[in-house]
Amino acid sequence: MTSKLSLLLLLLSSSCMVSTLSRVYLTPDGGYKGIVVRIDKDVNQDHCHEIIKNIKSLFTAGSPILHSALSGRAYFSRVTIIVPSSWSEEKCSNAITTPTGNTPYKSTDILITPGTGLAGSIPYTVQSPGTGLAGSIPYTVQSKQCGEQGEKIIFTEHFFTAWNTTSTRWGQPAKLLVKEWAKYRYGVFDEFGFSGDRFYPNYFKSGGSIYPTGTTNAMLTGSWIYKNGSSLCDPTADQCYFRPEGPNKQITCSLNYVPFLATVTGWCDKDHAKSEIGPGKHNVLCQGRSVPDVIFAHSDFKTRTQRSVRLSQELVPVFDIVRQPLPKYVLLIETSRAMSGVWKWVRKATQNLIKYELPDNTEVAIVTFSSEAVVTHNLTPLTSERVRARLADTIPDSHNRLSRTDDRCVICAVKVAMDQVLRNREAGGHLIILTHGDKRTLSEDDEEILSEYDKYYNVRVSSVLLPMPGEAPLSYYNTIATHSGGRSRSLDLSASKMETLAALIDSLVEIIGVDTPDPSDLPVTVHHQAITRSQSWSSEGQFFIDRMLGRDTVFGIFVEDDEDHQIKSVKFTDEEGSVFGPYTKMSSILDGINLKTINFPLGEKTPFDEGVVSGSSWRYHISWYKDTAQIQSIARVRSRQRDSSPANNLEIISWTNYDSSSLSISPSSSPLTIYTQVTMGGRGVVEARVSLSLQILHSNGTRSLLTEGFPLQMTDDGFGDVDLVSGDGIYSRHLTIYPSPGRYIFTITVTDNNNTAYTNTKGGAMDNHPQDLSVTVCCG
């Protein structure tokens, strides 16, 4: 008998996101619905009308092409276009509505990114958006293996605003959409090779002759050219490319190689492809299976044949244009008797979220529950400090005010939130559940109801779980968080009180991060150290402020008693030995969360905050009034990104193949694959050090941190198993051994690898596309 695993990802980074699952589905008549095209918030609003007009043209022209290429099995039926929340109907010249009912808006199938891409740059298939190497041509984000769905399709703003140029350079735009859709939806790949690539070279030898790698039904005519457009280069040398020339009217396939040829209308199957096609990416990764073989093995077509789709249906898709809704948070807080031991810290953490962490004008409501649920406070926008304080004060101020029973009806709270708080305004709804999270909190019927709420109303569901020692949290909380685009965090209550408080605060900040349009605004915890015994009644530590950080940096100390905190003084020393302090006055501003910060003298700048040299190491020295063995404290440093412009935004995204694989504690189980994509200003970060640690939460509530063989190093080598593309800023790793059943908690740490990491920048070798070449040439 095998045991199922559950999974949780934690990331240590300046910002982190976990992608939301696609909501695309195929209707009985073969129409694809639930397709979401999202326009990035940094796209120029002045181009709104033009972009929307050409998105409609793209799908309208692409629908019959897809229908024909798939022998009538499918077409584009309904597309939702998500515009940024700040965009106006006047600029867009279109009616923009608020998503209602089951309108998808959280997932992203196609992302429109700002700008033109790099001038003359080249597209390539990567695992996450905006790596910065793609120009105006679209490309697909693929991290998984043959036959598995990709992450998203990327188009640049320029693709739609320079429509005539796009058509002239790359051919019919609708064909490009169908090509990328096949890669995204069905897990097929480009059917050509790349110059200088070890695994997918752009040429092959046969019978003493050299031929271009690529799948077609007949021999393609053309010539080998250099980057500057001059001809007659040696195909075996780097930077030599094959350029199709002449009408090539004999070529009818394949869309994944030469979609720009007018006569190409589909993909080559085994019977129509010429006998030798070379080591193209699809041919290698799919082990010789043709593109149609892989497509028609997809679950979309397992029970669908050409004759099962009506031939007379309308192929023009319907378009919904909706505005990205602002988040509406409903805090569902368990108030059962069992919460009394941690209630003080739960209250402080939720009050901190309301008072200090949520952006201005965010709407928040509070629901408390035990055997039944009540609305403690309805949705209220956080318009002032006074409103924040009054809302925070509605949370019960003492464990004496909790229920006298141990009942914990989570579904009661969910129903109250949906029926009384979010009714008819579900768009943007985000339920954050704070509960013990054990099996008593949700029944199987409750889980089904909650899943239906997610499916129909598209609300996010996140949770902070506080299981009693010896108990494990219900894995469903992680499942619903993954499917709804939320996050689930489980805390260890056997840790110290201050660790519990700090973990609660950090978990809630991570959860609201999924709704943050500007990841650079999120604070980053750069240092967290528990205070240990010291015979000299002092404590020391060291932290590093990355050169990207240094805005709103706060050094604080969590203390059990904010009045009798026992802090005598704090001083800091920089890399050059300069001493700042000692500072003897502590601020009371954050006493509500037991965090003591330094009250710097008026006119004196914080030594390690903005305006000073960043990217440096600092040492701190805390003097106490009594032996630290009697004190439970934690030193913590948080900072925000110094430059919040999009070009300097560091973004880390991580995901796994967990939902598409059957994993169990069994030698025959398929491996779990973890992916992490690192970008800076939309460009892939190369040569970073990305390491993976593993902690297992067992069924009895105990935890074990694996040390043998860990941390694992994730790679960006493009060897195909497991990483598909080298140098794209996407790091991958297989986990092939599962030591024991339980919940697997991964912590991913990203560093600059001793200052060796870099981003691909304009003017690099990969930025220069050969002149007059419509075939994409990068990357393997």
Side-chain angles (χ1 to χ4, degrees), residues 124 130-132 677-680 682-686 727-729 758-760:
Y124 67 117
T131 56
Q677 181 256 347
V678 187
T679 60
M680 170 79 75
R683 302 173 181 273
V685 176
V686 184
D728 61 355
Y758 63 95
T759 58
N760 285 292

Side-chain angles (χ1 to χ4, degrees), residues 555 572 583 585 597-608:
F555 176 93
F572 303 95
Y583 301 101
K585 295 182 179 180
T597 57
I598 296 170
N599 186 4
F600 291 99
L602 290 175
E604 182 176 331
K605 292 183 178 180
T606 306
F608 37 75

Side-chain angles (χ1 to χ4, degrees), residues 212-414:
T213 297
T215 304
T216 55
N217 61 300
M219 187 62 66
L220 191 67
T221 61
S223 61
W224 294 93
I225 64 167
Y226 291 105
K227 271 190 176 182
N228 62 7
S230 62
S231 59
L232 302 179
C233 62
D234 179 3
T236 63
D238 287 349
Q239 311 304 324
C240 184
Y241 308 95
F242 184 80
R243 178 175 61 192
E245 296 172 343
N248 276 300
K249 292 183 178 180
Q250 75 280 13
I251 306 298
T252 60
C253 59
S254 172
L255 283 170
N256 281 25
Y257 178 26
V258 282
F260 52 87
L261 294 181
T263 52
V264 171
T265 58
W267 297 281
C268 300
D269 59 23
K270 285 285 188 182
D271 296 330
H272 293 89
K274 59 186 175 67
S275 58
E276 294 182 290
I277 59 177
K281 189 165 191 176
H282 178 86
N283 195 29
V284 172
L285 292 178
C286 294
Q287 300 178 329
R289 297 171 64 197
S290 70
V291 167
D293 282 347
V294 176
I295 288 178
F296 293 126
H298 190 273
S299 59
D300 285 350
F301 307 116
K302 284 186 176 179
T303 59
R304 191 181 307 276
T305 65
Q306 180 178 354
R307 286 186 290 275
S308 71
V309 178
R310 298 196 312 271
L311 298 181
S312 60
Q313 76 270 28
E314 177 62 60
L315 299 182
V316 177
V318 175
F319 297 92
D320 300 307
I321 305 173
V322 301
R323 183 176 283 106
Q324 174 64 37
L326 296 173
K328 304 180 186 78
Y329 295 104
V330 185
L331 303 180
L332 313 181
I333 309 174
E334 180 185 329
T335 54
S336 73
R337 180 175 59 187
M339 293 287 282
S340 59
V342 293
W343 183 252
K344 179 178 180 180
W345 314 121
V346 169
R347 178 176 60 84
K348 286 178 177 289
T350 50
Q351 288 185 328
N352 172 74
L353 179 71
I354 295 168
K355 288 182 175 181
Y356 307 116
E357 307 290 2
L358 289 170
D360 289 340
N361 300 310
T362 301
E363 291 189 272
V364 184
I366 299 172
V367 173
T368 56
F369 67 93
S370 53
S371 57
E372 58 184 20
V374 296
V375 178
T376 305
H377 204 293
N378 222 317
L379 277 174
T380 301
L382 302 178
T383 55
S384 66
E385 290 186 9
R386 180 173 175 270
V387 170
R388 289 176 183 268
R390 292 191 65 177
L391 180 60
D393 284 344
T394 62
I395 300 172
D397 60 358
S398 168
H399 67 86
N400 295 317
R401 298 182 182 275
L402 302 184
S403 171
R404 296 182 179 181
T405 73
D406 284 334
D407 295 333
R408 50 199 76 160
C409 182
V410 168
I411 201 63
C412 298
V414 172

Side-chain angles (χ1 to χ4, degrees), residues 33-77:
K33 292 187 176 181
I35 301 169
V36 175
V37 179
R38 184 179 306 279
I39 302 176
D40 187 270
K41 67 177 182 62
D42 292 318
V43 168
N44 189 342
Q45 184 182 186
D46 291 338
H47 297 155
C48 176
H49 173 69
E50 190 174 13
I51 290 172
I52 290 177
K53 179 188 71 173
N54 288 328
I55 289 174
K56 291 180 177 180
S57 298
L58 186 69
F59 276 92
T60 300
S63 186
I65 294 173
L66 179 68
H67 186 259
S68 174
L70 296 177
S71 302
R73 290 175 172 86
Y75 65 100
F76 297 125
S77 176

Side-chain angles (χ1 to χ4, degrees), residues 110-123:
I110 297 176
L111 179 66
I112 314 299
T113 60
T116 62
L118 297 178
S121 66
I122 36 195

